[in-house]
Amino acid sequence: MADEIKLSELEQVDEAFNFPLFEAIFNRRSRRFGLGMEIKEGPNKHKSQHPPLPLDEVEEAILIAAGTGISGLNLSDMPHTPRPDNLDDVQNWDGMCNTMVEHVGRTWASPCGNHGTELFYSNDEGVYLMKLRDVQPVHLQEVASKSDRDRLLDFVRQNRVKLFDGRLDIPRNTGAIMSFNLWNANMPGTTLFMPVTDITEEMINAVMLQADLGQYVVDDRNNMRPCIDQRWIREGWVNTPVPLSMFENQMMLATAGAEGAFIGHNILLAEQALGLGGWLYGGMNSLVVMGGTPTGCGLGFRFESNPKNPDAFPAPIGIDGEFETFRPPYYKDMDAAVDAVVAKKFGPNGTFNPFAKKPAPYKNRADFLRQVPHTPEKTIQICKETCRYVWDTFGTFPAFAPPAVLYVYIQAQHIELEFYDKYYDGPAYLKSHKDHMRKWHAGAAKMSKVA
């Protein structure tokens, strides 16, 4: 696509943006067979007679924007009342909104507006990272008019980082890819999306939230030992124990760990609107994909062994300079990591600093932010003691979960209509799929006779 192209002028883009939501939801399917693919044996044996056709830049940009775009400013529409000193009063306290980390709104939900997940993707040209954690919106709604679509290409171009040339480097064997995905996963012509979640920042934030609610973390692998100085319990700032293993599982699975699935589902719905095939799956070994084995560089993550548990697999902690978790070696110690999270809220350029340059959704921004209570110093100290205990006791942070996790993969490709016509009793694809080649790739459609 030419640099000067305007998405607002493309009829096929307009049709995709106006595709019925419920049609996309109820007709979402895994359509795994793409151009250039082959199933070699069995009742649905089929070899595509067409070469692979990569997604063009506009198709990828729309999928990326739908999956992980900056949509505007979140509303943070919660009470802003200070935490009572008396623990008994906390039971009836209506809370304060400073648990929010950012006012940034994304196309997917994140606990406390943290958005610790970044989208990696690979196509025939390279492996990329959409680096968005520091990107701020300008408006309450970033894509409010037809002309706003014209910014989507620049959004991708300006915020992606190319990590490697060529397709994602992982071996094609069952140690890296489950057998039933070997025939089509990460194949030429496909775009493979990989949302990677940083667990550490939201875990630090959640420890502070729990302390504000009168809760503290205990080490359930060590006789329920409190992870904090017991003076905080004696003084009455906290009184309810929460097991560390349960807390981390909630952080990983029930909250931050769900972010990748939200991104994936957004991309799948956008695939229906664009008329693209693809599916969401978990059939790859994340240790291999992230680069934790000598079989391939994968995404190039830095892995570190745990000196206190040398038999454990090394854990992915980040990509230096590009995707860094809130823990050593990216911070001097866990105290410094906690300070960094607090600074994101109340520091010189913090979310709740009325003199900062960060945008906020409120009419009287500065006056409003002056009234937002800061996190109490006692809560911050409890958070530091908890995180320090985890690091000192277990030699890593978090204790039981990887700092960065990759659970789901989302693939997009041009589907082989002839396969679905041959084997399925009824419509196995939508009109958007039937018309896609003619509307998006007129030259390729003529050559392949797919349309």
Side-chain angles (χ1 to χ4, degrees):
M1 288 288 177
D3 289 347
E4 65 274 9
I5 193 167
K6 291 184 177 295
L7 271 64
S8 61
E9 297 177 354
L10 296 178
E11 179 184 352
Q12 63 268 39
V13 172
D14 192 56
E15 290 183 1
F17 268 77
N18 288 283
F19 194 85
L21 172 63
F22 284 98
E23 184 175 350
I25 290 174
F26 285 106
N27 290 286
R28 182 211 58 76
R29 297 290 185 275
S30 293
R31 296 181 176 92
R32 299 176 176 87
F33 201 106
L35 298 180
M37 294 181 180
E38 180 182 9
I39 295 176
K40 295 182 178 180
E41 301 292 341
N44 60 349
K45 176 181 178 180
H46 190 83
K47 181 179 176 61
S48 173
Q49 299 303 304
H50 314 295
L53 179 66
L55 273 62
D56 66 32
E57 191 179 17
V58 171
E59 291 170 313
E60 284 189 342
I62 292 174
L63 292 180
I64 291 167
T68 189
I70 304 294
S71 58
L73 292 161
N74 67 48
L75 302 180
S76 300
D77 45 351
M78 300 188 291
H80 295 75
T81 52
R83 198 266 201 195
D85 289 333
N86 189 326
L87 195 56
D88 292 337
D89 294 334
V90 171
Q91 304 302 317
N92 298 313
W93 173 50
D94 57 10
M96 57 183 167
C97 192
N98 68 21
T99 185
M100 297 295 294
V101 178
E102 295 277 7
H103 281 130
V104 179
R106 300 279 282 274
T107 55
W108 46 279
S110 173
C112 303
N114 172 49
H115 293 108
T117 301
E118 294 284 45
L119 186 62
F120 294 75
Y121 70 99
S122 178
N123 55 30
D124 292 346
E125 301 299 320
V127 179
Y128 303 88
L129 160 66
M130 286 301 297
K131 194 174 180 181
L132 300 175
R133 291 182 78 169
D134 295 325
V135 177
Q136 296 288 322
V138 177
H139 308 289
L140 194 61
Q141 296 181 1
E142 287 290 294
V143 187
S145 67
K146 191 173 181 178
S147 62
D148 291 332
R149 302 171 193 169
D150 293 333
R151 300 199 305 268
L152 296 182
L153 269 178
D154 284 339
F155 167 77
V156 174
R157 291 170 178 169
Q158 292 169 5
N159 294 296
R160 71 181 170 195
V161 176
K162 191 173 189 180
L163 301 175
F164 304 104
D165 290 329
R167 184 163 287 281
L168 180 71
D169 177 28
I170 57 172
R172 299 204 68 79
N173 59 46
T174 54
I177 305 172
M178 287 187 179
S179 60
F180 45 78
N181 289 325
L182 276 171
W183 67 280
N184 64 345
N186 195 36
M187 292 291 284
T190 68
T191 299
L192 176 64
F193 298 100
M194 297 155 282
V196 178
T197 301
D198 169 15
I199 297 295
T200 61
E201 183 179 9
E202 182 53 28
M203 181 169 171
I204 291 171
N205 192 49
V207 172
M208 286 190 281
L209 171 60
Q210 285 195 316
D212 274 344
L213 296 174
Q215 302 170 6
Y216 63 97
V217 179
V218 295
D219 183 355
D220 49 320
R221 304 291 177 90
N222 189 14
N223 298 318
M224 303 299 282
R225 177 182 176 183
C227 299
I228 59 173
D229 191 307
Q230 296 200 37
R231 75 180 189 279
W232 303 114
I233 304 169
R234 293 193 299 269
E235 291 177 8
W237 192 258
V238 292
N239 66 354
T240 304
V242 176
L244 175 62
S245 62
M246 182 182 76
F247 175 68
E248 288 195 2
N249 282 332
Q250 287 179 339
M251 283 299 96
M252 186 172 67
L253 299 176
T255 53
E259 294 177 352
F262 293 151
I263 292 173
H265 197 249
N266 283 354
I267 292 174
L268 288 184
L269 293 182
E271 287 178 358
Q272 318 309 306
L274 292 173
L276 292 169
W279 83 109
L280 185 151
Y281 61 108
M284 289 192 185
N285 184 330
S286 62
L287 181 68
V288 177
V289 173
M290 297 176 80
T293 71
T295 59
C297 66
L299 295 176
F301 267 73
R302 178 174 178 170
F303 280 71
E304 286 201 349
S305 299
N306 184 346
K308 295 198 173 185
N309 187 9
D311 294 330
F313 278 115
I317 64 170
I319 299 175
D320 297 359
E322 306 295 353
F323 185 99
E324 299 182 348
T325 53
F326 283 71
R327 47 157 283 165
Y330 300 119
Y331 293 90
K332 176 184 176 182
D333 51 30
M334 289 309 302
D335 281 24
V338 173
D339 285 337
V341 174
V342 175
K344 287 187 71 171
K345 300 180 183 185
F346 306 109
N349 194 35
T351 299
F352 297 105
N353 185 336
F355 304 105
K357 296 180 180 179
K358 279 188 177 181
Y362 314 111
K363 288 182 178 180
N364 301 311
R365 176 189 172 280
D367 290 341
F368 191 99
L369 294 180
R370 286 190 189 96
Q371 299 178 62
V372 176
H374 283 212
T375 299
E377 187 60 31
K378 291 180 180 180
T379 290
I380 296 172
Q381 291 306 313
I382 287 173
C383 182
K384 287 183 175 180
E385 290 181 13
T386 302
C387 296
R388 195 186 312 141
Y389 176 93
V390 171
W391 182 266
D392 291 344
T393 303
F394 297 97
T396 187
F397 183 88
F400 311 120
V405 295
L406 171 58
Y407 283 138
V408 297
Y409 306 84
I410 312 98
Q411 191 159 299
Q413 65 225 10
H414 293 102
I415 70 171
E416 169 70 83
L417 300 183
E418 295 162 5
F419 170 82
Y420 294 95
D421 290 338
K422 180 178 180 180
Y423 286 111
Y424 289 88
D425 183 17
Y429 50 80
L430 305 176
K431 187 175 185 296
S432 58
H433 298 99
K434 182 178 180 180
D435 295 342
H436 180 88
M437 295 299 290
R438 175 175 58 83
K439 292 186 175 183
W440 287 81
H441 311 282
K446 185 177 181 180
M447 287 186 294
S448 66
K449 298 181 181 179
V450 176

